[in-house]
Amino acid sequence: MHDESARAARLLDAQAKAAELFAEVEGRGLIAAGQGEQAVSNSIRDLAGEMFGVKRFWHKRIVRSGPHTLHPYQDNPPDRTIEADDIVFADFGPLFEEWEADFGRTYVLGEDPVKHRLRADLPRVFAAGRRYFESHPQVTGAEMFAEVRRLTAEAGWEFGGRHSGHLVGEFPHEKIDGNRIEYYLTPGSDQPMRRTDRAGRRCHWILEIHLVDRERGFGGFYEELLDL
């Protein structure tokens, strides 16, 4: 039998450390105009090692700025220098003692009111998605994705990703589970999200919110645990 309360506690602890890491990133001003995206990513990587001894990340580290914030996770745009009025997001998957965190936040460097509105809408759409999940016990991954897209449109944006989340747990869930559609919140993912995995463990989920304004050429990103 799996100790599900202990598993949940470890996932929440990993997320709390990721949140602390990102707060320190902001406090130290690591995301700044004139810095390259890759240089900022490396600085965050080094800070994770300094603060928590993190040596590995279970997915590629992402720092994207300006027009690069339109790109979904799967893309690999070239390095770019962050500019004074940019919107920037970071998406990191640090491993804390073999437990996966997946955490994304967005930062606005200038005073552009539309960028600030987008950044403010990210946690609001996330919270509305979580309320939907909590009130629909049999929700599937496909239904969750459809609701996130509806909430995104309601807020006046376009959704920028091919999915709106995925399983998370003990490393390496991505390697074990591959690209099977039922492990993502995406069209065609028709199994109930509240289920157990192939090892009999309760499934835990990350919810990703990627809002974009294609006309103005920018977007923002926000993610963390959905069900805990």
Side-chain angles (χ1 to χ4, degrees), residues 139-184:
V139 64
T140 67
E143 290 167 344
M144 193 71 225
F145 179 76
E147 176 64 10
V148 168
R149 287 190 59 132
R150 188 193 70 79
L151 291 166
T152 298
E154 185 176 78
W157 309 105
E158 181 181 339
F159 195 76
R162 302 172 194 173
H163 63 80
S164 61
H166 52 79
L167 281 178
V168 70
E170 300 89 336
F171 180 76
H173 93 261
E174 186 179 59
K175 181 177 178 181
I176 291 170
D177 297 328
N179 291 317
R180 294 173 58 146
I181 198 168
E182 63 264 33
Y183 297 106
Y184 294 86

Side-chain angles (χ1 to χ4, degrees), residues 96-112:
F96 298 98
E97 299 176 358
E98 305 303 317
W99 290 85
E100 299 168 350
D102 203 3
F103 205 75
R105 289 295 189 267
T106 295
Y107 308 88
V108 179
L109 300 186
E111 302 301 324
D112 186 314

Side-chain angles (χ1 to χ4, degrees), residues 32-82:
Q35 296 290 317
E37 293 168 336
Q38 187 59 53
V40 173
S41 174
N42 291 343
S43 295
I44 297 173
R45 175 202 63 200
D46 295 344
L47 181 60
E50 173 191 326
M51 292 177 66
F52 300 108
V54 170
K55 295 181 173 63
R56 289 186 296 166
F57 297 80
W58 67 266
H59 70 66
K60 65 183 180 182
R61 303 185 309 274
I62 290 175
V63 173
R64 292 186 181 157
S65 63
H68 287 179
T69 57
L70 295 173
H71 287 268
Y73 170 86
Q74 295 87 347
D75 292 355
N76 294 292
D79 195 19
R80 177 181 182 275
T81 300
I82 298 170

Side-chain angles (χ1 to χ4, degrees), residues 33 66 80 82-88 107-113 115-116 218:
R80 177 181 182 275
I82 298 170
E83 298 179 0
D85 197 41
D86 271 344
I87 190 168
V88 183
Y107 308 88
V108 179
L109 300 186
E111 302 301 324
D112 186 314
K115 292 174 182 173
H116 280 278
F218 61 81

